Amino acid sequence: MATAQAAIEIDELPGAGAGATIHVSGDWTFGALRKRRYRLARIAADLQHRSAKSLRWDLTGITALDDAGAVWLARSLRTAEQIDVNPRYGAMLTQASQGLLVERAEGGLDPLAGVVRVGRAGIDFWFHLRDGTALLGQLVLDLFRVTRRWRDFPLLELSANVYRAGVSALPVTMLVGFLIGVVLTYLSALQLKRYGADLLVINIVGIGVVRELGPLLASIIAAGRSGSAMTAQLGVMRVTEEIEALSVMGVSVTARLVLPKVLGLAIALPMVSFCTDIAALAGGVLIAKLTLGITPAAFLEALPRAVEVVNFWIGIGKSVAFGFAVAFVACHYGLRVLPNTDSLAAGVTQSVVASVTAVILLDAMFAILLRDVG
Amino acid sequence: MSADANSQSDVETVVETVVEVQKLLNKIGEFVLHRELDFEVRAGEVMTLVGGSGSGKTQLVRVILGLKRPSAGLVRVFGVGWDDPSYARVRAARERMGMLFQNGALYSAFTVYQNVAFPLRERGGLDEEAIRAIVYAKLAQVELEPKHADLLPASLSGGMVKRVALARALALSPELLILDEPTAGLDPDRSDAFVRLIKRMRSEYRFAVLMVTHDLDTLHDLSDRVSVLADQHIIASGSIDEVRSVPHRFIENFFGGERGRRAFTAA
Ligand SMILES: Nc1ncnc2c1ncn2[C@@H]1O[C@H](COP(=O)(O)OP(=O)(O)OP(=O)(O)O)[C@@H](O)[C@H]1O
Ligand SMILES: [Mg+2]
C-alpha cells in the first residue's frame, strides 16, 4: 500500500484570463496533507487571488480521500466552474461542502448578561426553596407511612448510615477536636495568665467546646465527609438511571434513600459531637496542666460548676438539628443532579458549600434563641 | 518540510495485519478467560467476532484496545504493542483506530457536536471551520440532522446515542474501526441503514472493521471473515462458509438455527 503524495498542479490555458485547469492527484488524507501543509496553504492562497471564473478542477487523479482532504478540496472548490471527479469520492465531497454550509449560532456578547444572571439566580433560588419544601413534606409523609407499616422501615440502610457517618468519622473528628481544644486553651491561657484569672480558662474552654465548637466541628466535617458522599451517590444513581429503576419498581426514593440518610446523620452526629467534646476537653486538660499548672483532677472537678449541664444538652440538641440539615441539603442537591458528569461535579460542590452555610445559619439562630439559657 | 515528513512516517507504519493477537493468556483474578488465543484482523477486511454471551468477546476487544493488560502473549495493533516505550508511536496507532462501545460511552457533559469534534481537536492540525465541516458531514452520514448537534447525550434516544458514537468513532477516518454490538438496540431499518453506511464508507476509503455481533443479518451482509470465540480461544476463523462447516456445538446452534437458515438462504 504505497502512499502517493498529495499533489496539485495548475495548468494555465493559453491566453490572458482564459483560466486554468487544476489537476489534483495522489493521496488526500490527513496524514498526507500534514506532510505538505505549507506548500498546500501557499497554493490555496494563490488560488484565492485568481478570478473566480474559468477554473476547471480535475480530481480524477486522487487515489485516496478522507474527510480532512475532502474539506480542504471543498473549500477551494467553492470557486470552481467545472469539476471532474471519480464518482467514488463524489458523495464525500458533497457531504464536506454541505458541512461547510451549516451555520453555527455563535454566542456573542450579551449586554444584558448581568441582568439575566441575576434573574436566573433569583429563579434558581425560588426553585431550590420549592423543591426543598416538597422534599421536606415528602419526608414527613414517608415517616408517617413507615410508622404504620414497620416492614417498610429502612432499618438496614439506617444502621449502615449511622455506621458510615458516625463510627468511621470518629478518628478524624476527634483528632481535629483535640487539636482545637489544645489551640483554644493555649490562647486563652496566655491572656488569662496576665490578669491572674487562671481558673477562668475552665469556663471558657468548657462552654466554648461543649456548646459551640464540638457540634460545629462535627457537623462541618460531616458536611465534607458524609454530605458530599450522599450527594455523589444520589447523583451517580441519577446518571445511571438507578433512581428511575427504583421508582419503576414502586420503591419510594425518598423513603428508601433519603430518609435513612437524614435520620442516620441526625442520630450519628450527636454521638460524634459528644466524642469530639471529650477529645477537645482532653486537649484542654493537657494544656491547662502544661501552661497554668492546673491538675487534671482540679480541672474535672471545676468543670461541672463552671459549665451548667444545660449547655451540654444544648450542644447535643444542636447536633441533631445540624445532622438533619447537612443530610437534608446533601440529598436535596443529590436529587437535583442532571444526568451528566458536569452537573454531578457542580452538585457536590454546591452541596458542601450550602450545608456548611446552613449549619452556620442554624447556629446563629440557636445562639439568638437560647441567649438567656445557660 | 522533510523533517516534518520524517517524523510522520517514523510513527506510522504500513502493515498488512492491523490487529495481531498471539498466544494470549487473559485472566481476571484467578479466572482464566482466554487461553492460547490467536486472532488477527487484516488490513481492509471486515472481521466479525462471534461467540456466546459471556464468552469474553468484549474482554478480548478491551485487550486489543489496550484497556486491559494481558497476563501473557502478544498483542499488536498496527504493529505496535501498547507497552511500546515510544509515546508518539502509541498515540499514532490510537489515532488510526476508532471504537464504538457497546453502550456508546459518549461524554455526558459534551453536546453531540462537541463529542464528535473532540477527537478532531485532540489530533490537531485542523482549523475550526474544517472541524465544523467534518462534524456535520459525519452527522449527515449517520443520518442525524444539524438541529441535533447541540443536544446533550442524556436527551438522545438509545439509537441516536449509537449513531452519534459511530460518528465520533469515524471522525478521524480511522483505518481500523472496532464495533461492539453495533446494531443491538436499533430497529431493523436502522440496522440495514447501518450496514449500508459501512459498505458505502468502505467503498470511499478502505478501512478494516473488527465487529462483535450477534446479528446474523449484519454478519452475513458485511463480513469478509468470521472468527468464533468459544472454550476460551478462537475455535474457527475464515470465510463464513469455512466457519460454518466446522463441527462444534456452538457453531451448529449459532448458524444452524431457524434464524441462521433464514439469513443465509435469502442471499
Ligand atoms: N471485572 C470482571 N471481573 C470478573 N469477571 C468479569 C469481569 N468483567 C467481565 N467478567 C466476566 O468475563 C466474561 C466475559 O465477559 P464479556 O463482557 O467479554 O462477554 P461478552 O462475550 O462480551 O458477552 P456479551 O455478548 O453478553 O456482551 C463474563 O463471564 C463476565 O462475567
Ligand atoms: Mg459484550
Side-chain angles (χ1 to χ4, degrees):
Chain A
M1 200 167 82
T3 45
Q5 289 222 324
I8 191 162
E9 262 170 48
I10 303 178
D11 243 2
E12 301 284 347
L13 293 183
T21 306
I22 299 163
H23 296 282
V24 179
S25 63
D27 279 2
W28 282 71
T29 56
F30 180 79
L33 289 184
R34 186 149 67 171
K35 285 180 203 166
R36 316 201 64 191
R37 57 177 175 263
Y38 301 115
R39 169 185 297 233
L40 288 172
R42 232 175 308 131
I43 293 175
D46 191 36
L47 288 172
Q48 293 271 309
H49 293 304
R50 286 172 171 275
S51 61
K53 49 187 176 334
S54 55
L55 283 184
R56 253 197 77 204
W57 285 77
D58 170 19
L59 307 181
T60 48
I62 293 180
T63 48
L65 182 69
D66 73 359
D67 295 298
V71 168
W72 196 99
L73 288 172
R75 275 200 275 205
S76 312
L77 288 174
R78 279 188 282 216
T79 56
E81 186 178 81
Q82 190 194 336
I83 304 168
D84 297 328
V85 61
N86 185 336
R88 221 176 116 187
Y89 300 127
M92 214 171 192
L93 276 174
T94 320
Q95 254 165 2
S97 40
Q98 274 164 359
L100 281 170
L101 293 180
V102 181
E103 299 280 339
R104 265 189 87 69
E106 298 295 337
L109 204 61
D110 185 358
L112 289 179
V115 180
V116 171
R117 242 193 146 96
V118 172
R120 197 154 290 148
I123 294 172
D124 268 359
F125 182 71
W126 163 245
F127 282 160
H128 271 289
L129 267 185
R130 193 195 59 185
D131 294 353
T133 316
L135 183 60
L136 192 63
Q138 188 63 47
L139 275 183
V140 173
L141 289 180
D142 282 336
L143 208 53
F144 272 123
R145 229 191 41 211
V146 158
T147 47
R148 267 186 282 128
R149 252 172 73 96
W150 283 106
R151 216 172 59 78
D152 280 351
F153 190 76
L155 194 61
L156 217 58
E157 286 92 339
L158 181 70
S159 80
N161 275 300
V162 171
Y163 178 79
R164 232 176 307 166
V167 181
S168 52
L170 281 183
V172 61
T173 321
M174 286 179 70
L175 177 68
V176 172
F178 179 80
L179 294 176
I180 293 283
V182 165
V183 172
L184 180 69
T185 316
Y186 183 70
L187 289 179
S188 353
L190 280 186
Q191 302 297 320
L192 293 173
K193 223 174 176 172
R194 280 199 269 169
Y195 302 103
D198 291 10
L199 281 180
L200 224 54
V201 82
I202 301 172
N203 295 49
I204 293 177
V205 173
I207 298 250
V209 164
V210 167
R211 188 168 167 151
E212 284 298 328
L213 286 178
L216 216 51
L217 275 179
S219 45
I220 287 172
I221 290 177
R225 259 185 103 259
S226 315
S228 60
M230 290 173 186
T231 310
Q233 191 196 17
L234 290 177
V236 170
M237 289 181 80
R238 167 76 77 204
V239 173
T240 54
E241 295 186 276
E242 287 170 59
I243 300 240
E244 283 80 351
L246 272 179
S247 329
V248 169
M249 291 180 197
V251 176
S252 159
V253 174
T254 44
R256 188 61 67 91
L257 293 177
V258 180
L259 194 63
K261 288 186 170 58
V262 172
L263 287 185
L265 200 56
I267 293 172
L269 208 56
M271 304 198 259
V272 174
S273 69
F274 176 67
C275 297
T276 314
D277 288 353
I278 291 178
L281 288 176
V285 168
L286 179 72
I287 297 302
K289 171 84 178 79
L290 291 182
T291 57
L292 301 172
I294 302 176
T295 63
F299 192 108
L300 292 181
E301 201 190 294
L303 191 63
R305 267 181 282 123
V307 184
E308 281 180 62
V309 78
V310 67
N311 288 304
F312 171 74
W313 291 116
I314 288 176
I316 294 298
K318 285 205 298 194
S319 308
V320 175
F322 293 168
F324 180 88
V326 166
F328 181 79
V329 170
C331 291
H332 169 70
Y333 276 94
L335 290 175
R336 293 174 64 86
V337 167
L338 303 176
N340 71 68
T341 46
D342 254 2
S343 166
L344 179 62
V348 173
T349 310
Q350 289 167 3
S351 147
V352 172
V353 173
S355 50
V356 170
T357 313
V359 163
I360 292 176
L361 275 179
L362 275 179
D363 194 44
M365 272 164 51
F366 279 119
I368 295 169
L369 288 178
L370 302 174
R371 62 183 179 276
D372 297 329
V373 186
Chain B
M1 189 207 116
S2 59
D4 195 75
N6 279 339
S7 67
Q8 265 294 316
S9 45
D10 265 359
V11 292
E12 274 189 24
T13 44
V14 177
V15 284
E16 282 307 313
T17 310
V18 288
V19 176
E20 197 182 352
V21 177
Q22 282 174 16
K23 297 214 177 304
L24 171 74
L25 173 67
N26 183 19
K27 294 192 207 170
I28 295 180
E30 281 305 297
F31 177 65
V32 177
L33 199 51
H34 304 120
R35 190 199 301 274
E36 290 287 307
L37 186 149
D38 295 322
F39 179 68
E40 75 170 9
V41 181
R42 300 179 193 146
E45 74 171 351
V46 177
M47 160 59 84
T48 304
L49 179 64
V50 299
S53 189
S55 59
K57 302 181 296 293
T58 301
Q59 292 298 323
L60 177 59
V61 167
R62 285 174 62 84
V63 170
I64 290 170
L65 287 167
L67 296 175
K68 179 167 189 311
R69 185 184 264 280
S71 312
L74 174 102
V75 177
R76 279 173 190 280
V77 177
F78 294 108
V80 180
W82 295 124
D83 48 4
D84 194 293
S86 155
Y87 174 74
R89 267 204 298 273
V90 170
R91 172 137 197 179
R94 287 223 176 274
E95 282 176 358
R96 290 165 81 179
M97 57 199 263
M99 169 73 197
L100 176 67
F101 284 92
Q102 201 163 356
N103 55 6
L106 296 180
Y107 304 122
S108 62
F110 285 179
T111 62
V112 167
Y113 181 90
Q114 290 166 328
N115 262 289
V116 182
F118 184 77
L120 294 161
R121 295 203 172 116
E122 283 298 299
R123 182 177 63 173
L126 290 174
D127 57 278
E128 269 308 306
E129 191 191 29
I131 288 178
R132 193 186 53 185
I134 294 179
V135 170
Y136 282 113
K138 290 293 157 200
L139 290 181
Q141 275 175 0
V142 297
E143 296 176 26
L144 287 169
E145 286 160 42
K147 68 165 192 256
H148 296 133
D150 291 316
L151 296 178
L152 284 172
S155 46
L156 299 177
S157 77
M160 284 163 86
V161 167
K162 271 248 147 86
R163 283 182 279 152
V164 175
L166 180 65
R168 185 179 71 177
L170 291 172
L172 295 183
S173 306
E175 288 164 63
L176 168 65
L177 180 64
I178 301 182
L179 309 166
D180 196 353
E181 314 252 355
T183 51
L186 298 185
D187 63 53
D189 269 355
R190 292 261 184 243
S191 292
D192 290 347
F194 177 84
V195 169
R196 261 183 282 126
L197 166 67
I198 296 286
K199 275 194 167 155
R200 200 190 68 225
M201 300 205 39
R202 277 169 43 80
S203 75
E204 285 168 0
Y205 77 104
R206 206 114 192 105
F207 55 92
V209 178
L210 163 55
M211 172 168 72
V212 175
T213 188
H214 291 146
D215 181 17
L216 281 164
D217 291 320
T218 315
L219 177 141
H220 176 263
D221 291 346
L222 280 178
S223 313
D224 296 321
R225 292 199 307 140
V226 178
S227 288
V228 183
L229 176 58
D231 309 334
Q232 304 177 326
H233 66 286
I234 303 289
I235 56 168
S237 196
S239 72
I240 298 180
D241 289 330
E242 282 165 19
V243 166
R244 280 175 70 191
S245 63
V246 173
H248 187 278
R249 200 169 37 81
F250 173 77
I251 295 179
E252 279 151 21
N253 284 339
F254 188 78
F255 292 100
E258 181 53 37
R259 290 174 315 126
R261 224 163 291 130
R262 223 180 311 130
F264 290 103
T265 50

